[in-house]
Each structure stands twice: as structure tokens, then as C-alpha cells.
């Protein structure tokens, strides 16, 4: 018999942390193009160039290319348009806002000893917003699959005894007890059972199999998704120039993130034999995290025209905290009865570790005197090396197998150029990045282009850029049961403004 748990607080600790899945690992491992307007205008192809605050996020040696101490502040207007297709129904969505995209400074120290072959060294600091999680979309359509499959998938194997309240025990008490002792799956089974979506095959307390209270047929579904948050990085940089030809640099990076997501499914049916006709299922997730990584890089001048660069970025070791809330409302036409299962419980999961993959970047640049330049970057990042930790945890072993089976190594190419006319600079760039998924469907290939201009006032520089990227996503509604996908065409555009000061 279950122990009766009296609910004394709305906050609980959950011993089985099934809030995570493969989509979380990809989200927190991915980076968007962000940084100064000059950097963005050239699509981030700065690995062999340096001399820009955002260049040190690719190659830490770039700060030693500066000839004076320097600082830059960057603001970004970001707009995300998405067309969501669900069973041939199309909905257009838009999300926009202003962000502080970058802020940083480099202090330059020249050597006063003419015999010292290390000509100068620099100390730098740079903040960059590496990912923007602000997003929303609405999908509507008629499906042959119901949300009942979600609850049935989790209920299979759960004894009915665990889903029935006992004397003086509320559904809230039971939901909390299951979270503390049986895990996320048992909580989902409880919601489906208490919400009259699933029924036991027999009424014995030992029963472990269930059937649906929702009649087969077609289902009108509306799925809404809304998220906010960001992933940010503080880079602490040191670099040096050797013999006027070689540059070496190192970054120590502090990472932080916050991500809030709310999803809501509304499902209606008028199928024959259906005991439940209307379902509203809402899930809220709140995630915070922090972590550490390092970068090392070098840039070499091969004559007056050619520069090459190589940089390595270590994996990021993140500590992640998550909490969730849920709500389920149902209605039966036959019984003219509404049921609300809304546990006044916040599921607080134990912290877990996530190791995101490292990245290797090779770069080539052609310096065309004072007139301009052309730059090329190639980077390699293996998403299948992403790991939930501790790796000996049985649950994380399952997730890590999924990561290695479904994710792949990604190549990214960035090309940029700049042409100077007196104090004006004209810039443009192009980038392409493979999908992190082997099927290249869950998330598609990214294509982007950029353009911009700048004006040099002397010690002050003003730069403006426009950046656009597009890719397709096909996310599943849920990871269990109702795995219908939404086809989303995304178009992300930004207008970036930077103000720089040299000393």
C-alpha cells in the first residue's frame, strides 16, 4: 500500500529526471551568429583576421591584431518569422525584439624593449549572446492520432494501485508522491487516468495495462509553443604578438543560460464511443544553467597578403537546473462533465551535467592592402559527442545512446569580404551549416547571407549590418505517443548596430 504523503509545499524534489531529451541537448549545444556589426556583416568569417572584439569568440589570438586599446558595444534588432504546417494547415508566426548582442574591450600593452620578440600582449573581455531562445508558433490541423497515446505510452506497466488515491489523499498528494518515488512517467499516467483519458483493462490494483477512453477517429488539434531566454558567454582573453608575424591567444569562458517554454495542446473530437471529447494539456518548463569552456588559437602572417588561423574550442561543461508544471482539463459530452487535474506542484529536478561538443576552426584571409580583404572560415563540430552526465546513470546512458545514434558531425563554412572607400567600408558575407541530425530533417541545413557598412570617424567607428538566415525544422509534438511533427520554415533576420572606440 502506498504511503500517504501530506502536501506541505508546492515545491518537490524528483528522483527520476526525465524532463531532458535529445532536443534539449541540441538546443544548448547550438550557437547562432552573434557579435559586432562588422563581424555579422561578414558572416563571422574572422578566424584569420582578428582586430574585432567578436573575432576572439572564434580565434582568441585575434585580440593581438589590434593596434590600440579598443572597445565595442552592439545592439541587435532580431525578427523571427515561421510558417508552421500541420496536416496541410499553415499558420504564420512572428517574434521580434531588441537585445544587447555584444559588449567588450581589449587593453593593449606594447613592449618597450626593442630586443623582446614578443612585441605586445593584450587583455580582453567580451560578452556575446550565443543563442536567442525567443520563439513561438501555432499549429492547427486534423490528425488521426490522439494525445491519448502519450498517456498510454507512459501508463503501460504502471500498477493501478499507484494511480488511485487512498483515504485522506488528494490528487496533488499522489502526484507529488509519484514524482518523489516513481518518476515522471508515473506522473503522466496519473494525469491520464485521473483525467479520464485512459482506463485500466481490469479494476484490480495489480493491473498494469490500459486502454483509451477516447474513441478512434479524427481529432482537431491546436498546438501552441512559446519560449523565451538566451545563452550567453563571457570570454576572458589574453593574447600576444611574436616577431610581428605570429599571434597566440587563450580564452577562459563563463557560460550562462535561461530557457522558459510553455506548450499547450487543445484537442476535440466527436468520435463514436468516445467518453472524453475535449482535452487541454499544458506543460511549462523553466531551465537555468551555467558552465565553463576554454579556447586556444593562433594566427600567422604568410607575407603581406596571406593570413592563416587555427583555433580550438573545448567542450562546454554545463550544470543545468530544471523545473516543470503541468495541467490537464478534459470534458465529456456523454456525461456533461468537466475534469481538471491541475497539481499545485512544481517539479524540481536534481541538477544534471551536460557536456556540449568542442569545435575546431581553420581560417584563411587575403589582405588586399588598404583597399579591402577576403576571408574564409571552416569549422567542424561533432554533435554526437554531446553527453548527459554522469554517464553511468542508466537513464543518461539511454539518452547518450540516442545522441550518438541520431546526431552527426557538422561542417560550417563562412565567407566574408570588405571593401574600403575613403572612410567608408562596404561588407558582405555568406554562410552554410549542416544539420546536427543524421536524418537532416528534424533540423535542416542553415543558409545565411549578410551585408553592412561602416564609417571611420578616427577614434570612433560606427557599423551597421543586416543578417538573414533560414532553415527548416520538423519538431515532434511530444517524445512519447503523439509524435506527430510540425513542418516549420524559419526565417531569422537581424539589424545590428555597433559603436566602437579606439584609444
Amino acid at each position: 500500500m502506498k504511503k500517504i504523503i501530506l502536501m506541505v509545499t508546492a515545491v518537490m524534489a524528483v528522483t527520476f529526471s526525465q524532463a531532458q531529451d535529445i532536443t534539449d541537448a541540441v538546443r544548448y549545444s547550438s550557437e547562432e551568429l552573434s557579435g559586432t556589426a562588422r563581424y555579422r556583416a561578414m558572416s563571422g568569417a574572422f578566424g584569420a583576421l582578428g582586430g574585432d572584439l567578436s573575432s576572439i569568440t572564434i580565434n582568441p589570438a585575434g585580440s593581438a591584431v589590434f593596434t590600440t586599446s579598443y572597445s565595442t558595444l552592439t545592439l541587435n534588432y532580431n525578427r523571427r518569422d515561421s510558417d508552421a504546417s500541420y496536416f496541410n494547415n499553415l499558420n504564420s508566426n512572428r517574434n521580434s525584439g531588441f537585445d544587447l548582442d555584444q559588449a567588450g574591450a581589449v587593453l593593449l600593452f606594447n613592449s618597450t624593449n626593442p630586443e623582446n620578440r614578443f612585441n605586445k600582449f593584450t587583455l580582453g573581455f567580451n560578452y556575446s549572446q550565443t543563442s536567442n531562445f525567443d520563439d513561438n508558433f501555432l499549429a492547427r490541423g486534423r490528425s488521426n492520432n490522439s494525445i491519448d497515446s502519450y498517456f498510454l505510452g507512459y501508463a503501460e506497466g504502471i500498477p493501478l494501485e499507484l494511480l488511485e488515491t487512498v483515504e485522506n489523499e488528494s490528487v496533488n498528494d499522489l502526484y507529488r508522491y509519484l514524482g518523489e518515488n516513481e518518476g515522471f512517467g508515473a506522473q503522466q499516467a496519473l494525469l491520464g487516468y485521473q483525467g479520464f483519458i485512459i482506463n485500466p483493462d481490469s479494476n484490480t490494483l495489480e493491473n498494469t495495462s490500459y486502454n483509451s477512453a477516447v474513441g478512434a477517429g479524427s481529432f482537431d488539434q491546436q498546438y501552441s509553443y512559446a519560449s523565451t531566454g538566451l545563452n550567453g558567454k563571457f570570454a576572458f582573453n589574453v593574447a600576444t604578438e611574436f616577431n610581428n608575424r605570429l599571434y597566440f591567444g587563450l580564452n577562459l569562458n563563463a557560460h550562462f543560460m535561461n530557457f522558459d517554454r510553455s506548450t499547450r495542446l487543445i484537442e476535440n473530437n466527436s468520435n463514436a464511443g468516445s467518453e472524453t471529447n475535449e482535452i487541454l494539456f499544458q506543460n511549462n518548463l523553466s531551465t537555468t544553467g551555467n558552465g565553463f569552456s576554454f579556447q586556444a588559437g593562433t594566427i600567422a602572417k604568410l607575407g603581406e597578403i596571406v593570413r592563416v588561423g587555427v583555433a580550438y574550442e573545448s567542450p562546454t561543461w554545463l550544470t543545468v537546473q530544471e523545473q516543470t508544471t503541468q495541467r490537464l482539463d478534459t470534458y465529456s459530452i456523454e456525461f456533461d462533465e468537466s475534469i481538471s487535474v491541475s497539481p499545485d506542484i512544481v517539479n524540481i529536478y536534481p541538477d544534471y551535467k551536460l557536456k556540449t561538443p568542442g569545435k575546431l576552426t581553420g581560417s584563411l584571409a587575403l589582405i588586399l592592402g588598404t583597399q579591402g580583404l577576403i576571408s574564409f572560415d571552416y569549422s567542424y563540430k561533432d554533435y554526437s559527442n554531446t553527453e548527459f552526465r554522469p554517464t553511468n546513470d542508466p537513464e543518461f546512458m539511454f539518452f547518450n545512446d540516442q545522441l550518438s545514434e541520431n546526431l552527426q558531425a557538422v561542417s560550417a563554412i563562412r565567407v566574408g569580404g570588405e571593401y574600403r572607400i575613403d572612410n567608408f567600408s562596404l561588407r558582405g558575407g555568406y554562410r552554410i551549416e549542416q544539420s546536427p541530425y543524421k536524418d537532416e530533417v528534424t533540423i535542416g541545413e542553415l543558409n545565411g547571407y549578410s551585408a553592412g557598412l561602416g564609417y571611420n570617424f578616427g577614434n570612433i567607428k560606427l557599423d551597421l549590418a543586416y543578417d538573414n538566415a533560414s532553415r527548416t525544422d520538423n519538431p515532434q509534438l511530444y517524445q512519447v505517443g503523439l509524435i506527430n511533427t510540425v513542418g516549420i520554415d524559419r526565417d531569422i533576420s537581424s539589424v545590428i548596430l555597433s559603436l566602437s572606440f579606439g584609444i
Side-chain angles (χ1 to χ4, degrees), residues 93-106:
N93 307 273
R94 176 178 297 175
N95 193 69
S96 62
F98 288 91
D99 294 302
L100 173 64
D101 210 49
Q102 175 276 332
V106 166

Side-chain angles (χ1 to χ4, degrees), residues 361-374:
T361 302
S363 309
L364 173 68
L366 301 178
I367 310 300
L368 308 176
T370 60
Q371 291 299 109
L373 55 88
I374 299 173

Side-chain angles (χ1 to χ4, degrees), residues 1-4 161 164-170 174:
M1 185 66 64
K2 302 186 309 296
K3 181 176 69 173
I4 298 175
E161 179 185 16
E164 293 272 18
T165 58
V166 296
E167 186 178 357
N168 297 323
E169 182 182 45
S170 68
L174 182 52

Side-chain angles (χ1 to χ4, degrees), residues 293-436:
S293 69
F294 68 88
Q295 294 169 269
T298 183
I299 297 173
K301 291 182 180 179
L302 305 182
E304 296 301 318
I305 296 178
V306 180
R307 292 184 189 177
V308 295
V310 177
Y312 169 74
E313 181 172 358
S314 76
T316 300
W317 294 274
L318 289 166
T319 300
V320 183
Q321 304 86 35
E322 292 183 334
Q323 60 184 46
T324 64
T325 58
Q326 297 185 289
R327 175 185 179 131
L328 178 68
D329 296 313
T330 63
Y331 175 72
S332 171
I333 295 176
E334 179 182 353
F335 302 106
D336 190 23
E337 183 178 11
S338 296
I339 301 294
S340 180
V341 187
S342 181
D344 189 19
I345 299 293
V346 178
N347 298 314
I348 300 178
Y349 295 88
D351 294 358
Y352 67 91
K353 307 289 185 180
L354 179 67
K355 188 195 81 171
T356 70
K359 182 169 68 174
L360 185 65
T361 302
S363 309
L364 173 68
L366 301 178
I367 310 300
L368 308 176
T370 60
Q371 291 299 109
L373 55 88
I374 299 173
S375 183
F376 170 87
D377 281 6
Y378 168 81
S379 64
Y380 178 89
K381 185 175 183 178
D382 192 348
Y383 280 83
S384 67
N385 290 332
T386 308
E387 286 183 349
F388 288 100
R389 295 187 170 187
T391 56
N392 60 354
D393 182 294
E395 192 174 349
F396 288 156
M397 289 173 66
F398 169 76
F399 287 136
N400 290 335
D401 287 342
Q402 281 193 316
L403 292 171
S404 61
E405 290 175 7
N406 291 281
L407 302 184
Q408 66 177 355
V410 169
S411 293
I413 295 173
R414 298 177 178 181
V415 181
E418 180 178 68
Y419 182 71
R420 302 186 186 99
I421 306 172
D422 295 326
N423 290 339
F424 284 96
S425 295
L426 304 178
R427 304 170 183 127
Y430 174 77
R431 59 192 169 108
I432 184 170
E433 182 177 320
Q434 289 179 288
S435 167

Side-chain angles (χ1 to χ4, degrees), residues 177-353:
Y177 169 84
L178 293 177
E180 292 178 331
N181 296 275
E182 301 295 334
F184 178 83
Q187 288 181 316
Q188 307 317 294
L190 174 69
L191 293 175
Y193 176 71
Q194 294 290 341
F196 292 90
I197 295 176
I198 61 174
N199 293 320
D201 287 350
S202 73
N203 290 322
T204 63
L205 294 179
E206 295 78 19
N207 174 81
T208 58
S209 59
Y210 300 82
N211 59 78
S212 178
V214 179
S218 60
F219 306 90
D220 292 318
Q221 294 173 340
Q222 177 177 298
Y223 180 85
S224 60
Y225 175 106
S227 65
T228 61
L230 60 88
N231 198 336
K233 179 170 73 175
F234 295 98
F236 301 90
N237 170 266
V238 59
T240 187
E241 180 188 65
F242 178 76
N243 206 28
N244 297 309
R245 290 289 179 181
L246 295 174
Y247 304 89
F248 303 97
L250 176 69
N251 285 353
L252 300 179
N253 303 315
H255 300 256
F256 72 95
M257 69 174 183
N258 60 80
F259 174 70
D260 292 295
R261 180 186 66 204
S262 178
T263 64
R264 173 181 289 193
L265 177 77
I266 299 175
E267 179 180 288
N268 296 277
N269 78 85
S270 55
N271 301 330
S274 187
E275 299 175 23
T276 299
N277 305 98
E278 298 177 11
I279 300 171
L280 184 154
F281 185 39
Q282 181 165 326
N283 287 270
N284 302 308
L285 168 70
S286 181
T287 305
T288 58
N290 56 80
F292 169 81
S293 69
F294 68 88
Q295 294 169 269
T298 183
I299 297 173
K301 291 182 180 179
L302 305 182
E304 296 301 318
I305 296 178
V306 180
R307 292 184 189 177
V308 295
V310 177
Y312 169 74
E313 181 172 358
S314 76
T316 300
W317 294 274
L318 289 166
T319 300
V320 183
Q321 304 86 35
E322 292 183 334
Q323 60 184 46
T324 64
T325 58
Q326 297 185 289
R327 175 185 179 131
L328 178 68
D329 296 313
T330 63
Y331 175 72
S332 171
I333 295 176
E334 179 182 353
F335 302 106
D336 190 23
E337 183 178 11
S338 296
I339 301 294
S340 180
V341 187
S342 181
D344 189 19
I345 299 293
V346 178
N347 298 314
I348 300 178
Y349 295 88
D351 294 358
Y352 67 91
K353 307 289 185 180

Side-chain angles (χ1 to χ4, degrees), residues 83-93 137-143 219-225 264-268 477 484-488:
D83 292 328
S85 176
Y86 188 63
F87 292 100
N88 298 318
N89 287 283
L90 186 68
N91 284 278
S92 296
N93 307 273
F137 66 83
L138 177 67
R140 292 191 185 97
R142 178 165 291 183
S143 170
F219 306 90
D220 292 318
Q221 294 173 340
Q222 177 177 298
Y223 180 85
S224 60
Y225 175 106
R264 173 181 289 193
L265 177 77
I266 299 175
E267 179 180 288
N268 296 277
L477 298 189
N484 294 349
T485 59
V486 182
I488 305 177

